[in-house]
Amino acid sequence: MNDLYGEDLRERYYDWNLLKRVLFYLQPYRGLVLLSVTLLFGVSLLNLAGPYLTKIAIDDYIKVSNFAGLDRIAVLYVSALAGAFACQFLQTLVMQYVGQKAMFDLRTQVFSHLHRMSFGFFDRNPIGKLVTRAVNDVEVLNEMLTSGIVMVFNDLFTLAGIAAILIYLDWRLFLAVCATFPPLLLATAIFRTRARDAMRKYRAHVSAINSSLAENLSGMSAVQTFAREEENYRQFLDIHQKKLGEDLRALRYNSIYLPSIDVFSAMGIALVIWYGGGRFVQEEIQLGVLVAFLQYLQKFFDPVRDLAEKFNLMQSAMTSSERIFELLDTPEQLPNPENPRPISRARGKVEFKNVWFAYKGDDYVLKDVSFSVEAGESLAIVGATGSGKTTIVNLLCRFYDIQKGEIFLDGIPIASMNKYDLRRQIALVQQDVFLFSGNIMDNIRLGNVALGQQEVESIAQTAHSHQFINQLPCRYEQEVREKGSLLSLGQKQLLSFARALAFDPRVLALDEATSSVDTETERLVQDALAKLVRDRTSIIIAHRLSTLKNVDKVLVLRHGQVQEFGTRRQLLENKGIFYRLYNLQMSEDLGDIPEEKRIPLSDPLP
Amino acid sequence: MPAFRSTLSNKIKLFLPHALAYRREIAIGVAALLLTDLAGLAIPWFFKLAVDLLPQKPAPGVLLQYGGLLLSAAAVQGVCRFGWRQYLFGPARKIEFDILNRLMSHFLVLDKAYYQVQKVGDLMSRATNDLRAIRDFVGMGLLILVDSQVVILACLCLMVYLNPRLTLYCMVPLPAISLLFYRLSGSVGRKQQIVQAHLSKITSMVQENLAGIRVLHAFVQEENEKRKFAGLNGEYIQKNLELARLYGVFTPSLIFAIGIAGLMSLWIGGKSVIAGDMTLGSFVAFNGYLAMLSWPMMGIGYVFNLTQRGLSSMARLEEILLARPSVETAPDRETSPFRVEGGIAFRGLNFRYPDARDYCLRDVHFEIKKGSSAAIIGMIGAGKSSLVQLLPRIFESERGTVLIDGVPVQDIPLRELRRSIGYVDQEPFLFSASIRDNIVFGQLGAGEDEVRSVVGLAGLEPDLDRFPDGLDTMVGERGVSLSGGQKQRLALARALIKKPRILILDDAFSSLDAETEETVLDNIREYARGTTTIFIAHRLSAVRGVDRIFVLERGTVVEQGTHSELIRRDGYYRKIYKSQALARQMEIFMQ
């Protein structure tokens, strides 16, 4: 499967299960689909009326010099044209409507499904891939639904209609024409397998070319700083030449096949002239029949050509649908319990009891972690990089499910709550602030549109954001641009505090920023933080010694295990790690003594 | 950069040579096309002869002759069709190939100043969609231009010959087809652009949702986002349906207009036959020529749009091809041999990014001795990365302000300069290839020993043991299957394997845990003895041991000295050192 750049080359024309599943999305609109097919039937029929009317005109009126009859035919002809126009117009509208509606349903479903996935899923799947599922693959499927599947009916109707009329006009002549079908079918079969192969490889090469281009463009700095220009160009050219090769091969097949249909069509016509002409001479058929035969035969080969193209469309649509269904079949990873315990407003007591957790396999990140924070208390978590600090916060929000142990909020296991209710109690403030496109106002209140201008402003005032927001050209309506170069790092932090305040949580989970901001902003950040933790339970991943001064309890983590836990007073009495950290904070002297000497501590940790 | 006005002659100068390269094939193609048309025109004429002959009760042999004639005309047509498909569409594809190659080589020359302004998505769209439009313009455009003119002219002549009056009647609806096609396909194009633009809105919304999914889920915004998405999606449907309405009118009206012409021919032509002005055979042939006209009539409208799109696409590619990199090496200096030793000097350096208003580096003046180590620290946005990026000339500095071994970087052959500098940044770009290929990226043709040795230096060995395919593990698109720390160490290995004279580590270990960082730093210290090494780091513990530390603030060096000197001064360094005390202590306690 990996031979052509991982592009999946399996064939999927005949995967009926897949097709059934796609058609399922048309189910709610089956009435309209039926209408559309009926209209198509009308279109095919009316489009076939022209040559038949010509036949009647020739045999019944022109040859017997009946002017009035000819006028009648003209009127019929116009009506047929107008009817075909109306049917076709309606059909296009109806089918597009159905297709768009079905797409709306499918795309909304994919989007909603993405929101049911856990962070574990997003850790594994690159964003670009998921965006392709929700946007491009759905688009390809739309094309198949609106112009692929239904239009196949059109081609089939037309083929069947022409065959029926020809048999009705003169079945013996039709049989003669049938002599051209076997070579036509043979040619089509030969062409199809080869062209399909060439097209598939071509497509695989095209996506390889595109990735190569995109990769070179995004990673141009790497390419240039390593002076790899020539080598990368050579690699690009290599794929590109293969692509051109397949492109030209597909062209060659098309160049042979499409004209060959015309030759077969001409063979049929020659047969009609020779055999039909003979029958006319023997007065077995009328001249009009011959002319109609000639005209119908010319129309007969269009749907044949069309059908070949539709197969290409089907192939890519099937691949897309399989990818979409693969995503939709990924089960929700953190399902809500069947009968969740209702919580409206928590008091805010948080407890971890013998919690074990691994992101993958049995590579435990947290081992037997227990601690508790009373409502309204504040807890600082300290530990080295990778000791599991952030994981604790993620687990509290139930972004991942734990393997062993239990987590409680107000004494209720969080696994027995509706996870949305749970998360509504907790505001998470992360180190790097993610700003959404939209204005400042929307970025503070997020979806909570119940908050008016005044309320948002007062929240911003509390979070020391009002001042800098007021200095922006459009104040609260200022659009935040991508990557948010509009705001400084410190301002973004303040904005994220405002966001948390607007959410008014019972529990605040905050990952203190490690990066340094200027002294004035730092003062504002500290002050806003103090207001933020007031009257609510707060869990702070501490990166500053000064933070330790202001919290009620401290949790020291080491390699995923609780090293020390307790109130500040208890821990100070313990004279453990916290005690030493606390002293460090107290002593202003941080001189240039190497740490190893300053802190006599390569010690007692088990 | 002066505003560039794109003119037709400019486009011709840029793109015509590509077409001229295939002039022989194109000439064959046009000739085949003319022959196809000629054979096609003969067929209705054979009809006419056959039909007119029928009432005289010809012998079967005669009819067989007509059948044979018809078949041979069709055979000629078939062969020639093959000819023009091969020789008109073939060159169009080859021209596409050549232009894309040219674009790619040009992309490789353009520098970071260019890529900072351009979006990759936009450049991609130009290299694919616009290129496609040009290919269609060359292939289809040429085909239709020749075909429609020849066919229309010939058919009209023959029809006039058969029945001038009838031709006049039938010609009434035909120009309407061209006009209709031109107008409608124009507005279809515009609506299509609107739909496309809306689709990219949907794309960015999905993209943003996924990028910010942690915030959205933490703040329980799922339902709000779904509502917003449904709204956006609903608008998209509306716009699509507007487009569908146009389509709905489009094809049926074409068929209708052609049908009207057919009606004229049947009605008025039929009367002519009854009146004896015209034989039945002529009537059949007339109908045949009329049917042949419909496609070229549409084609004339289509070719206008193709041309419009083709020309605007050429203009968009032209913008890329005429862009010039700000970093350019004078060709005469490129050849002169030069060997970088590693001494670095900044002399009164002022720098601002192209198109930026403010200077981000001001009066930077210091030296780093050959083979010594230095650290540059400061807040985000102080100009640390900007400063070091001037060394490998990722951005261009004013000549004489950045020197290596006493020579302005501009006078060092670019290739030698970049080969001798190893630059590792915080978010390294990895290619979707194996780990080995990503390492060898730094030094083509490096042996297994060398790869193993840098893997060891970068502390990647324990990680490799855990991968089933070891060095041959694929890292996925941009290295998605690796952790942040693994990516950074892989980038380090990639830089080390080229044995740089100057090694720049631009916050290159930010994702490593303290223990691994310490090991890797020890390795580098050992390995880099004699290599000029510049560290940029936020964690000061990593840089305490360097020969000299420079503190940047708003683009200027405000403090410099050794760790001991700086910690005694009451400045930025001391302040940051204090604020990082907790983290540092934790790392020490927790070893």
Side-chain angles (χ1 to χ4, degrees), chain B residues 208-227:
Chain B
E208 195 182 71
N209 253 264
L210 295 176
I213 197 103
R214 282 164 176 76
V215 180
L216 291 175
H217 281 197
F219 286 84
V220 203
Q221 293 298 310
E222 287 92 337
E223 291 311 315
N224 282 321
E225 289 302 309
K226 278 182 209 167
R227 231 185 342 266

Side-chain angles (χ1 to χ4, degrees), chain B residues 453-454 457 495-500 503 522-531:
Chain B
S453 120
V454 292
L457 285 171
L496 289 179
I497 203 168
K498 67 178 187 179
K499 300 192 180 68
L503 181 62
D522 282 344
N523 289 345
I524 291 180
R525 265 178 224 125
E526 187 61 31
Y527 169 87
R529 217 174 283 277
T531 304

